[in-house]
Amino acid sequence: MGRGEASRRRLLDAAAAEFAAHGIAGARVDRIAAEAKVSKAVMYAKYGSKEDLFDAVLADQVQGVLDVAPLTPDDLPGYAVRLYDAYLDRPQLVRLATWARLERTPTGYLFSEADEVPKAGAIAEAQAAGHIDPAFDPADVHAMVIALAMTWSPAGIIYTATEDDPEAEHDRRRAGLAAAVHRAFAPTEKP
């Protein structure tokens, strides 16, 4: 990794921690720059504004989850479990997405609708192939699987899991999540 890439990575990581903790309005560019060991001038030269830096951080965090938990429409239970693990490993993403929803995009798509269309198309293909109940709108399937996988994330209102929880608890949650997703979206049997 070159010097420029290393400073970009430090900046994204420092900004992710700052934005996750304080939101966009509460984040301070002085703290981000100091933690990343870059000048504010460098930060603004790379990203233009605090909001643009937030957008870059959120996109980086989302890509990290997509890398470890790609959508697998023919295995929605496995996809949900991989998302559970990704949210457990990357709790900042959930906090960042929550801040984005609160401070930037209170309604409608959080991410570009164009990003969601291929996912819905892949789910529609899995429905046509008999892997997923075709009674559901494909975009709704994707949204519900993500919501189920977030049950124990930092956005959960009952309990937020951490890596410090006993592995048996994580295994129980993974099994329950996989079973719930399977039952919810498995094609119905014809009489």
Side-chain angles (χ1 to χ4, degrees):
M1 178 182 310
R3 243 176 79 186
E5 178 59 25
S7 68
R8 186 186 78 80
R9 181 78 263 149
R10 284 193 318 273
L11 186 54
L12 288 173
D13 291 345
E18 179 74 8
F19 287 129
H22 303 287
I24 302 164
R28 297 292 172 254
V29 294
D30 292 350
R31 289 189 299 239
I32 295 169
E35 180 65 27
K37 297 177 178 56
V38 300
S39 70
K40 288 191 326 185
V42 167
M43 186 183 78
Y44 284 119
K46 286 183 185 285
Y47 295 102
S49 70
K50 183 166 72 165
E51 291 76 14
D52 290 341
L53 176 58
F54 178 85
D55 293 343
V57 165
L58 184 58
D60 179 63
Q61 294 283 313
V62 167
Q63 188 58 54
V65 169
L66 293 174
D67 290 345
V68 297
L71 173 63
T72 51
D74 57 335
D75 179 21
L76 287 180
Y79 173 58
V81 168
R82 287 189 303 280
L83 285 174
Y84 170 88
D85 288 333
Y87 300 147
L88 187 64
D89 189 46
R90 295 168 173 83
Q92 286 185 134
L93 169 63
V94 177
R95 287 193 286 276
L96 291 165
T98 302
W99 283 116
R101 185 56 84 192
L102 291 170
E103 295 187 90
R104 302 279 306 243
T105 312
T107 61
Y109 287 100
L110 182 58
F111 304 106
S112 164
E113 183 177 0
D115 292 339
E116 298 304 315
V117 169
K119 295 170 188 166
I123 290 170
E125 288 175 16
Q127 288 172 313
H131 299 293
I132 300 171
D133 187 339
F136 295 98
D137 180 87
D140 291 346
V141 171
H142 191 234
M144 287 187 276
V145 171
I146 289 171
L148 285 168
M150 289 182 68
T151 299
W152 300 277
S153 77
I157 59 173
I158 303 296
Y159 182 85
T160 296
T162 70
E163 291 180 330
D164 295 333
D165 291 349
E167 193 58 32
E169 289 293 305
H170 293 303
D171 289 342
R172 179 185 55 75
R173 291 181 197 125
R174 289 177 187 114
L177 175 60
V181 169
H182 173 75
R183 289 180 188 138
F185 302 111
T188 55
E189 306 236 350
K190 305 268 190 232

